[in-house]
Amino acid sequence: EVEEVIEQADYLYGSGETEKLYRLLVQHKNSDDAELLWRLARASRDLAQLSSTSAEKKRQLAYEALECAKKALEKNESNFAAHKWYGICLSDVGDFEGIKTKIGNAIVIKEHFQRAIELNPKDATTIHLIGIWCYSFAEMPWYQRKIAATLFATPPTSTFQEALRYFHMAEEADPNFYSKNLLYLGKTYLKLNNKKMALLWLSKAKEYPAHTEEDKQVGSKNCNST
């Protein structure tokens, strides 16, 4: 039965049927299967991301998603997707709990992404997420650095060069897999004052066929940056 549900879930995910997918998987929230649980975490998060979802519901779904990802990890520590979605969902919850929590969780989030890559070195999305992590720390404003300094003996730091390396690694693992990776390659080159390379990647992001709500946003954001 689990196999069937997963097959159905993957079909719905591929078709962008976010609400149907969530309704299918939420029936299995008490499952012991890590594969089902991380998919429910992802579906809860995707539902939270929809513009039609109310602010209250977004918050509720973010915590539900974290709970499912945590349970998936407990059931199977060597499941790469459970680590990846635990990291993503922990980051989301930080948006509701404030900057101190978000920075406080940063090292744990990165550790889970790194563990996911150890378990599956070909997963371009997780490599991209470490790139985003590096980018965020590279551009962190001074007042957030001060908070980080109070939370850690050695606060996490990064550079735009390091972020760029991960975005390129993600692109090598799976070329043209994600509009946001193209966008961030462009943005990072801008930060490094390489206008020529920035333009190249931003143009690619702009031309990317929009499959999801996020792709559309990337396309429109991009028009403003070029």
Side-chain angles (χ1 to χ4, degrees):
E1 194 215 357
V2 168
E3 303 284 300
E4 268 179 42
V5 177
I6 288 173
E7 200 177 313
Q8 211 179 336
D10 289 348
Y11 173 77
L12 289 171
Y13 180 74
S15 318
E17 295 276 6
T18 307
E19 283 153 11
K20 275 188 190 167
L21 175 62
Y22 176 77
R23 283 201 299 273
L24 167 75
L25 290 173
V26 80
Q27 301 169 53
H28 303 275
K29 66 172 187 276
N30 297 320
S31 167
D32 284 335
D33 193 285
E35 290 289 331
L36 274 178
L37 291 165
W38 75 251
R39 281 174 172 81
L40 175 55
R42 179 179 67 181
S44 306
R45 184 182 190 268
D46 285 350
L47 190 58
Q49 301 281 319
L50 293 182
S51 48
S52 54
T53 306
S54 72
E56 188 49 46
K57 187 75 176 155
K58 280 181 197 294
R59 186 190 175 94
Q60 183 197 327
L61 286 163
Y63 283 93
E64 273 180 32
L66 180 62
E67 207 44 51
C68 293
K70 187 179 169 189
K71 206 171 146 192
L73 268 185
E74 285 162 6
K75 300 295 173 193
N76 184 0
E77 196 283 329
S78 59
N79 185 307
F80 92 93
H83 283 281
K84 166 178 164 176
W85 288 97
Y86 183 76
I88 292 170
C89 296
L90 188 59
S91 176
D92 285 348
V93 164
D95 293 337
F96 296 102
E97 296 188 358
I99 195 69
K100 200 170 174 180
T101 302
K102 206 164 171 69
I103 295 171
N105 286 336
I107 289 177
V108 177
I109 290 167
K110 191 181 186 187
E111 281 167 358
H112 281 284
F113 289 157
Q114 284 172 325
R115 180 76 180 119
I117 290 174
E118 274 170 31
L119 293 163
N120 182 1
K122 289 266 171 260
D123 188 56
T125 318
T126 313
I127 302 169
H128 163 83
L129 289 167
I130 296 188
I132 294 281
W133 189 99
C134 295
Y135 187 96
S136 306
F137 274 93
E139 74 161 1
M140 185 178 270
W142 64 270
Y143 69 92
Q144 290 185 9
R145 287 184 199 281
K146 276 191 133 165
I147 296 171
T150 64
L151 293 174
F152 300 104
T154 317
T157 57
S158 190
T159 61
F160 290 116
Q161 279 88 351
E162 194 182 3
L164 190 68
R165 191 167 62 83
Y166 280 108
F167 295 138
H168 273 299
M169 274 168 64
E171 211 52 42
E172 279 162 33
D174 189 0
N176 221 22
F177 74 105
Y178 189 27
S179 56
K180 208 170 169 184
N181 200 58
L182 303 173
L183 177 67
Y184 269 89
L185 274 160
K187 284 175 71 162
T188 312
Y189 273 117
L190 273 181
K191 294 280 188 190
L192 295 167
N193 291 318
N194 187 332
K195 296 259 170 64
K196 191 181 168 193
M197 289 302 281
L199 199 60
L200 171 81
W201 289 103
L202 291 171
S203 303
K204 284 189 182 194
K206 198 172 178 178
E207 287 152 18
Y208 194 87
H211 297 298
T212 64
E213 187 100 12
E214 193 174 40
D215 292 336
K216 286 173 200 152
Q217 286 168 5
V218 164
S220 62
K221 266 185 201 159
N222 201 3
C223 303
N224 306 332
S225 44
T226 45

